[in-house]
């Protein structure tokens, strides 16, 4: 179908066209809603990058999973509901993270560490360094540029010619891998060591 005719179709008709393999239909849907959804996401998150990520993530999933979408409402309502649900997940995760950091702060404020505590934390620091050295090469490089060289995500992205989003994902994955490897150790001291050495 010609682009001129496509542009006059409803959202639902464009979705059907895209599900039938018409990429231009997807592009029209994207251009039709990306700005509106960004504004909607920004009003809830008050963060430009987060809002952009939410919209990009939604359309990326739409592109790869279009064949499984079965609308029970309008396409626009589906998009707005998807954005809202994703944002609620982000907010919930942020609250959990805030609570975690608060409890970690209380742990670190419990007074001057004893010699035994310092020795245990030194051992944990050694173990963490060991696990960092075992990370995949690219992940390790990005992680160390962030945590040891104190470079921002944008600075790392510029130096390695990759996206900010890739940098953020690699750092988050590195932290997850380190935590998994250390899960058998004393969790309080693991948390303290990670907080002091790496968590920004």
């Amino acid at each position: 179908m010609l682009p001129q005719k496509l542009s006059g179709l409803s959202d639902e008709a464009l979705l059907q066209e895209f599900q039938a393999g018409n990429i231009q239909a997807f592009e029209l849907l994207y251009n039709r809603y990306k700005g509106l959804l960004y504004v909607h996401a920004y009003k809830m998150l008050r963060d430009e990058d987060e809002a952009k990520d939410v919209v990009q993530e939604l359309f990326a999933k739409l592109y790869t999973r279009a064949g499984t979408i079965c609308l029970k409402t309008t396409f626009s309502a589906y998009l707005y509901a998807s954005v809202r649900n994703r944002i609620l997940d982000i907010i919930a995760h942020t609250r959990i993270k805030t609570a975690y950091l608060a409890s970690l702060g209380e742990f670190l404020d419990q007074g001057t560490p004893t010699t035994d505590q310092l020795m245990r934390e030194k051992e944990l620091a050694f173990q963490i360094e060991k696990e960092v050295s075992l990370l995949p090469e690219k992940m390790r490089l990005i992680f160390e540029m962030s945590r040891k060289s104190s470079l921002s995500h944008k600075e790392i992205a510029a130096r390695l010619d990759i996206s900010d989003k890739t940098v953020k994902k690699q750092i988050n994955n590195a932290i997850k891998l380190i935590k998994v490897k250390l899960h058998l150790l004393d969790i309080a001291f693991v948390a303290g060591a990670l907080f002091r050495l790496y968590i920004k």
Side-chain angles (χ1 to χ4, degrees), residues 4-147:
Q4 303 94 298
K5 292 186 178 180
L6 279 175
S7 62
L9 295 180
S10 67
D11 297 338
E12 290 71 25
L14 282 174
L15 178 60
Q16 290 179 356
E17 282 287 327
F18 173 55
Q19 289 175 324
N22 193 330
I23 303 302
Q24 290 181 326
F26 174 81
E27 293 174 352
L28 283 170
L29 286 171
Y30 175 72
N31 291 326
R32 188 176 287 182
Y33 281 102
K34 64 177 180 179
L36 295 171
L37 292 174
Y38 167 77
V39 171
H40 181 63
Y42 179 76
K43 284 181 179 178
M44 296 182 70
L45 291 168
R46 296 297 175 184
D47 184 294
E48 292 183 5
D49 290 335
E50 287 266 34
K52 289 177 183 177
D53 286 347
V54 167
V55 175
Q56 291 294 332
E57 181 182 309
L58 170 60
F59 278 101
K61 287 183 178 179
L62 179 64
Y63 187 86
T64 57
R65 303 177 185 175
T68 64
I69 295 175
C70 183
L71 295 179
K72 296 180 180 179
T73 181
T74 63
F75 182 68
S76 60
Y78 167 82
L79 291 178
Y80 279 101
S82 297
V83 167
R84 183 179 66 253
N85 291 337
R86 176 58 184 143
I87 289 173
L88 291 176
D89 287 342
I90 291 172
I91 292 173
H93 176 75
T94 301
R95 286 175 179 169
I96 292 172
K97 183 178 179 182
T98 300
Y100 170 75
L101 291 177
S103 63
L104 201 54
E106 291 176 5
F107 165 75
L108 295 174
D109 289 335
Q110 287 177 355
T112 303
T114 65
T115 301
D116 180 59
Q117 287 175 324
L118 290 173
M119 289 180 65
R120 292 173 72 187
E121 288 196 8
K122 185 176 181 180
E123 173 61 21
L124 280 170
F126 172 79
Q127 292 295 333
I128 290 170
E129 291 290 348
K130 179 180 177 182
E131 295 304 332
V132 169
S133 70
L134 296 175
L135 292 172
E137 184 177 356
K138 184 176 181 180
M139 183 183 294
R140 178 184 57 75
L141 175 61
I142 292 173
F143 188 77
E144 291 184 337
M145 289 175 74
S146 172
R147 267 49 187 181

Side-chain angles (χ1 to χ4, degrees), residues 179-198:
K179 286 182 178 179
V180 168
K181 294 290 183 65
L182 299 177
H183 77 284
L184 294 177
L185 298 176
D186 188 318
I187 188 61
F189 285 96
V190 170
L194 281 171
F195 184 81
R196 291 173 180 172
L197 291 174
Y198 297 114

